[in-house]
């Protein structure tokens, strides 16, 4: 038997209904704040992610599904959405639009990670990006919007972790200090962290092994070193969140697996999830557009994992669509008329299903009951149909061309 690839899953109709509900909630919340939907291609030039996400990240080093496009160019199934949205912003000259340009997406992404609960190789994200504003209000508003999406999704008791990375220039000095600290404790660091002291010392905060974690507990943090405009920006974000009544925990060890972040950085964790507890997160990325050869443009955004939200939620599926009428056939001579009646009923705005499995009349009535049909119209050779009200069991003869009107009269 051929099965779906490891780390991927099918979205079955029941799941699709829960997802549709989540999508509706997110669309309403983001739409009300002026975010408009964007969708970019499923694959992009590999270079976009190498440059955008960062050569030193796990995503680029080990998790990308890359392939040759047949003409010698390397393409990659998108591992994330921010770099593609920035590429689209530049490509379509969106800097000429009123700023910030506020965009959201609901797309699938691909990472060759070790699959486990909440971590897949193809997964979905709802993401929001505000491109063209450096204002701390943008960050605070995005954080509040993500909190609202999570709440509407029924994710409930989430913890917001908040930090700031400052600007890359401000970070240089700190990075040197951190590198010196890591070198001084090199013997206790995991080989992974040790190998990347130069390339990405900040990732040491994200290490899972005990000895490294212990070393990192006394490491100098960037938050303590924030100065000038970086410090002011972060103070303003915090003040806005305080005013909005959103609780957060300052987390100087917060690191995300993407290199483009500057200043504000955050994640929402759900205690209902296991090891993969982050439901969503994001931050400011003021240099990314420039790095992708666009005009210098500050930006900020987040993404939330759809599967993780659904794992942490009580959100029920939207109730199934009601079936106004099931069109049954009394005998073979009625099939043409039944086919036409089902179509007419749909054109008239009713939901109608047709017998498609060659069941006996009794079997058809049982099936109609199972799918929750309000009425069954039994169509045969003559010009009348039997119209059965499934809730009362009452059945009457109606001219075939009056069936739709009779149902509509009962359920206006
Ligand atoms: P990210 O933290 O890599 O950020 O992913 C965002 C969310 O996607 C995570 O919080 C998690 O819920 C979900 N996620 C990530 N990887 C997986 C996986 N393998 N399986 C299931 N869910 C997963 C980004 O992707 C950034 N683009 C977010 C952003 C937008 N930053 C600024 N703008």
């Amino acid at each position: 038997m051929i099965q779906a690839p490891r780390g991927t899953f099918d979205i079955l109709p029941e799941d699709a209904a829960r997802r549709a509900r989540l999508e509706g909630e997110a669309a309403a919340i983001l739409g009300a704040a002026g975010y408009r939907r964007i969708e970019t291609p499923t694959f992009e030039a590999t270079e976009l992610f190498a440059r955008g996400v960062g050569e030193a990240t796990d995503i680029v080093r080990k998790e990308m599904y890359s392939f040759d496009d047949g003409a010698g160019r390397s393409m990659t199934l998108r591992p994330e959405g921010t770099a593609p949205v920035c590429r689209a912003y530049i490509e379509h000259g969106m800097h000429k639009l009123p700023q910030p340009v506020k965009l959201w997406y609901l797309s699938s992404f691909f990472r060759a990670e070790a699959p486990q609960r909440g971590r897949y190789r193809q997964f979905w994200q709802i993401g929001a990006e505000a491109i063209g504003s450096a204002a701390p209000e943008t960050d605070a508003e995005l954080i509040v919007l993500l909190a609202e999406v999570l709440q509407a999704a029924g994710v409930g008791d989430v913890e917001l972790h908040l930090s700031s990375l400052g600007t890359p220039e401000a970070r240089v000095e700190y990075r040197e200090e951190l590198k010196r600290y890591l070198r001084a404790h090199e013997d206790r660091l995991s080989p992974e962290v040790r190998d990347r002291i130069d390339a990405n010392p900040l990732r040491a905060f994200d290490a899972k092994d005990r000895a490294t974690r212990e070393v990192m507990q006394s490491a100098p943090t960037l938050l303590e070193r924030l100065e000038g405009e970086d410090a002011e920006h972060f103070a303003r974000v915090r003040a806005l969140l305080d005013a909005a009544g959103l609780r957060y925990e300052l987390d100087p060890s917060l690191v995300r697996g993407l290199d483009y972040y500057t200043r504000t950085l955050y994640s929402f964790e759900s205690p209902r999830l296991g090891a993969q507890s982050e439901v969503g997160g994001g931050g400011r990325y003021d240099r990314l557009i420039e790095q992708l050869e666009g005009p210098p443009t500050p930006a900020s955004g987040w993404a939330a994992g759809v599967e993780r939200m659904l794992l942490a939620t009580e959100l029920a599926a939207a109730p199934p669509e009601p079936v106004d009428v099931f069109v049954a056939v009394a005998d073979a001579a009625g099939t043409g008329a039944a086919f036409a009646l089902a179509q007419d009923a749909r054109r008239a705005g009713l939901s109608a299903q047709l017998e498609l499995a060659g069941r006996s009349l009794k079997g058809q009535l049982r099936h109609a009951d199972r799918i929750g049909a309000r009425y069954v119209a039994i169509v045969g050779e003559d010009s009348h149909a039997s119209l059965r009200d499934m809730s009362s069991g009452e059945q009457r003869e109606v001219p075939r061309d009056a069936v739709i009107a009779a149902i509509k009269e009962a359920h206006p």
Side-chain angles (χ1 to χ4, degrees):
M1 186 180 49
I2 300 174
Q3 295 184 326
R6 217 163 84 77
T8 72
F9 50 84
D10 298 306
I11 298 171
L12 299 173
E14 309 83 86
D15 311 325
R18 291 179 80 210
R19 282 165 185 262
R21 178 116 182 240
L22 184 56
E23 176 176 353
E25 301 280 5
I29 291 166
L30 294 167
Y35 284 75
R36 297 170 68 213
R37 179 106 181 225
I38 183 169
E39 287 301 331
T40 59
T42 304
F43 62 94
E44 299 265 1
T46 300
E47 197 194 346
L48 173 65
F49 302 111
R51 268 212 259 164
V53 174
E55 299 274 11
T57 61
D58 277 351
I59 293 181
V60 171
R61 281 158 46 116
K62 335 189 241 207
E63 295 171 1
M64 297 210 296
Y65 288 103
S66 300
F67 57 96
D68 186 297
D69 72 348
R73 287 176 295 250
S74 176
M75 296 290 151
T76 292
L77 295 180
R78 56 184 173 196
E80 65 98 49
T82 308
V85 167
C86 290
R87 196 254 323 123
Y89 176 93
I90 298 166
E91 188 170 332
H92 301 285
M94 291 191 222
H95 63 279
K96 293 186 207 116
L97 301 175
Q99 305 291 300
V101 175
K102 296 185 280 188
L103 303 165
W104 77 275
Y105 48 87
L106 169 51
S107 329
S108 63
F109 298 92
F110 306 83
R111 294 183 195 174
E113 296 194 83
Q116 66 176 87
R117 184 169 183 265
R119 189 165 73 196
Y120 311 99
R121 290 181 169 173
Q122 178 176 3
F123 57 96
W124 297 71
Q125 284 182 350
I126 293 175
E129 316 285 355
I131 306 179
S133 164
E137 286 74 13
T138 306
D139 303 36
E141 185 173 67
L142 276 160
I143 294 172
V144 168
L145 288 170
L146 177 50
E148 278 177 24
V149 168
L150 294 175
Q151 198 188 8
V155 176
D157 45 347
V158 281
E159 292 158 14
L160 169 57
H161 294 243
L162 183 70
S163 187
S164 173
L165 295 176
T167 51
E169 293 73 33
R171 235 181 297 163
V172 171
E173 211 174 302
Y174 167 73
R175 275 168 68 107
E176 289 311 313
E177 183 186 356
L178 182 61
K179 280 190 213 171
R180 280 196 299 277
Y181 177 84
L182 291 173
R183 286 220 184 80
H185 297 83
E186 210 163 333
D187 52 328
R188 293 176 60 208
L189 300 177
S190 71
E192 276 244 298
V193 170
R194 206 182 310 138
D195 285 350
R196 281 197 274 170
I197 291 183
D198 282 319
N200 197 355
L202 283 162
R203 274 315 288 272
F205 284 110
D206 209 19
K208 301 279 176 284
D209 83 284
R210 250 206 27 231
T212 308
R213 288 181 82 103
E214 273 168 28
V215 171
M216 296 321 287
Q217 269 178 6
S218 321
T221 70
L222 186 51
L223 259 177
E224 301 156 351
R225 302 286 187 275
L226 280 190
E227 284 177 355
E229 285 182 16
D230 285 345
E232 278 166 35
H233 195 277
F234 191 49
R236 181 76 185 135
V237 172
R238 290 182 57 184
L240 289 162
L241 294 180
D242 292 338
L246 203 62
R247 290 228 305 272
Y248 54 83
E249 186 188 312
L250 283 185
D251 184 352
S253 70
L254 188 63
V255 187
R256 304 179 52 74
L258 302 133
D259 273 359
Y260 46 63
Y261 292 116
T262 52
R263 294 191 165 168
T264 319
L265 191 70
Y266 49 93
S267 75
F268 281 87
E269 311 277 330
S270 167
R272 291 184 198 164
L273 297 173
Q276 302 303 316
S277 60
E278 190 194 292
V279 268
R284 178 160 279 288
Y285 49 95
D286 288 341
R287 303 297 167 87
L288 180 55
I289 303 257
E290 216 176 331
Q291 233 162 289
L292 299 173
E293 291 169 29
T297 311
S300 194
W302 51 253
V306 170
E307 293 73 34
R308 292 197 193 166
M309 284 193 272
L310 291 175
L311 278 173
T313 185
E314 305 104 23
L315 187 72
E321 290 295 313
V323 181
D324 293 319
V325 58
F326 180 78
V327 185
V329 282
D331 50 59
T335 51
F339 191 84
L341 178 58
Q343 281 190 64
D344 289 344
R346 288 179 208 128
R347 282 195 199 111
L350 297 175
S351 59
Q353 292 193 30
L354 185 65
E355 168 58 15
L356 296 172
R359 276 174 276 246
S360 68
L361 187 54
K362 206 168 145 204
Q364 292 180 61
L365 288 172
R366 210 177 302 130
H367 177 67
D369 187 45
R370 195 179 297 158
I371 63 172
R374 286 182 176 142
Y375 287 91
V376 176
I378 305 165
V379 178
E381 203 175 357
D382 74 37
S383 61
H384 275 67
S386 304
L387 187 61
R388 187 184 179 90
D389 181 332
M390 293 299 278
S391 56
S392 66
E394 180 200 327
Q395 188 163 318
R396 61 195 162 111
E397 294 299 302
V398 184
R400 207 153 62 204
D401 54 14
V403 166
I404 295 169
I407 295 173
K408 288 195 118 176
E409 209 172 290
H411 288 282

